Amino acid sequence: MLHGYIPANRFLPYLSWTDIATLDNKANTVIVLPTGAIEQHGPHLPCAVDSVISSGVVGHALARLPANIPAYAIPPITYGKSDEHLHFPGTLTLTGETLLHTILQIGESLYRAGFRKFLMVNGHGGQPQPLQMAARELRLRHGDMIIIMQDTFKVPNCAESFMDDKERQMAMHAGHAETALMLALAPDTVQMSKAVANYPPAFPCPTLSTSKPMAAWASYDFGPSGVIGDPLPSTPEQGAAILDSLAESWAQVITEIHQMRWVTRAEPAWGTGHWQGKVLDHNDAASLLTPR
């Protein structure tokens, strides 16, 4: 079924339009969009890593929520902006512009339906900029909407407790944490016999960085494996612990977004597009469903 890792009762597309129109407190219902990518992750991992991890973490977080916290996931965006991996077959990429406009259209659809709290959980490190740009544009259009974008690992979690110093400082792609999570979420797709370790060279501008490179890069710049890190020490048990810690933190985030109040602005933003039109609401749904 379409929901994948998402609990079926927390998957918005499984509701009818009348169900959605009659939801209580839609303005404080949190809509969660996992965003990922289809791109190479070395010889030992599938190209679906980022999409699997973002969807898996969101699904496990939603499963932890008490029934009185209204939150739903919508189908993940499984294609991302992955042009840094174009040297490798299996990478499927959108342009940054396409991704940005896709988020804008999804956000407008949610707003039109009455939702005002929109959370993106991003699993791919190569695309936060277009997601952030879309979030800012939606906020300019709608001063009563809360739009939050954050990367999957940018909440409290235990991943670094399993890493050595070099992995913590230098790993960027297909390394320890991603491999461990995939061993927990989709073990049949992982081929540890093919795993290799590979790191970028020290960045020759230490004023800017003594760890990860600050210059623009493509993954092939650092060798033909596509790995930037060390997946070799990863275990399913570590992955389960990382998943548990991430799910706990994201469940807390969703709860706090549901409860939060934020600055609202009634005045229209300067120079941005606005659209108006009829959208069926709870009154229309009630009249349709009333026995005659």
Side-chain angles (χ1 to χ4, degrees):
M1 291 290 285
L2 187 61
H3 61 282
Y5 293 98
I6 308 299
N9 66 324
R10 293 284 190 177
F11 195 56
L12 191 72
Y14 286 172
L15 303 182
S16 70
W17 78 261
T18 55
D19 294 333
I20 294 171
T22 55
L23 283 175
D24 292 332
N25 198 17
K26 276 195 288 186
N28 290 305
T29 296
V30 184
I31 302 299
V32 187
L33 171 64
T35 62
I38 305 296
E39 61 183 37
Q40 74 83 19
H41 272 76
H44 68 294
L45 291 177
C47 293
V49 165
D50 294 340
S51 295
V52 169
I53 288 176
S54 61
S55 298
V57 168
V58 166
H60 281 74
L62 289 171
R64 291 170 179 250
L65 291 179
N68 65 337
I69 302 296
Y72 295 90
I74 55 178
I77 294 182
T78 56
Y79 300 107
K81 189 192 80 66
S82 299
D83 45 1
E84 70 269 36
H85 302 291
L86 282 178
H87 292 93
F88 298 87
T91 297
L92 307 176
T93 188
L94 307 177
T95 64
E97 293 85 355
T98 297
L99 180 60
L100 185 153
H101 287 288
T102 299
I103 298 297
L104 287 175
Q105 295 302 316
I106 291 171
E108 289 293 347
S109 297
L110 294 173
Y111 191 89
R112 208 159 41 238
F115 298 108
R116 298 294 182 266
K117 294 183 175 181
F118 179 25
L119 170 65
M120 290 175 270
V121 180
N122 176 46
H124 171 40
Q127 64 192 20
Q129 294 83 2
L131 300 180
Q132 290 165 343
M133 291 167 65
R136 177 64 57 81
E137 175 66 17
L138 286 167
R139 174 64 183 183
L140 285 171
R141 294 180 184 182
H142 304 296
D144 59 342
M145 192 176 192
I146 298 170
I147 312 99
I148 297 172
M149 193 292 296
Q150 188 55 278
D151 292 338
T152 308
F153 284 94
K154 292 294 181 69
V155 294
N157 69 87
C158 66
E160 289 195 354
S161 68
F162 300 111
M163 302 176 190
D164 61 22
D165 288 343
K166 186 172 185 179
E167 184 74 1
R168 282 192 288 269
Q169 293 170 8
M170 300 297 290
M172 296 187 289
H173 191 72
H176 192 134
E178 287 188 321
T179 301
L181 268 177
M182 290 300 291
L183 285 168
L185 286 167
D188 291 345
T189 69
V190 181
Q191 303 178 72
M192 287 302 292
S193 63
K194 298 181 179 180
V196 296
N198 179 63
Y199 290 104
F203 191 60
C205 183
T207 302
L208 286 179
S209 175
T210 57
S211 57
K212 295 180 175 68
M214 289 293 102
W217 54 267
S219 56
Y220 186 72
D221 294 343
F222 305 131
S225 72
V227 175
I228 311 173
D230 185 1
L232 294 170
S234 304
T235 68
E237 293 76 20
Q238 293 169 355
I242 296 168
L243 178 59
D244 182 70
S245 64
L246 285 168
E248 184 67 24
S249 290
W250 279 110
Q252 182 62 29
V253 168
I254 293 167
T255 300
E256 291 170 1
I257 293 173
H258 160 64
Q259 296 169 343
M260 73 181 286
R261 298 295 178 266
W262 189 238
V263 176
T264 60
R265 169 178 43 79
E267 297 80 8
W270 185 265
T272 58
H274 294 271
W275 300 272
Q276 298 181 29
K278 168 69 174 175
V279 175
L280 298 174
D281 60 19
H282 65 282
N283 293 320
D284 299 301
S287 65
L288 179 68
L289 298 174
T290 299
R292 298 183 182 179

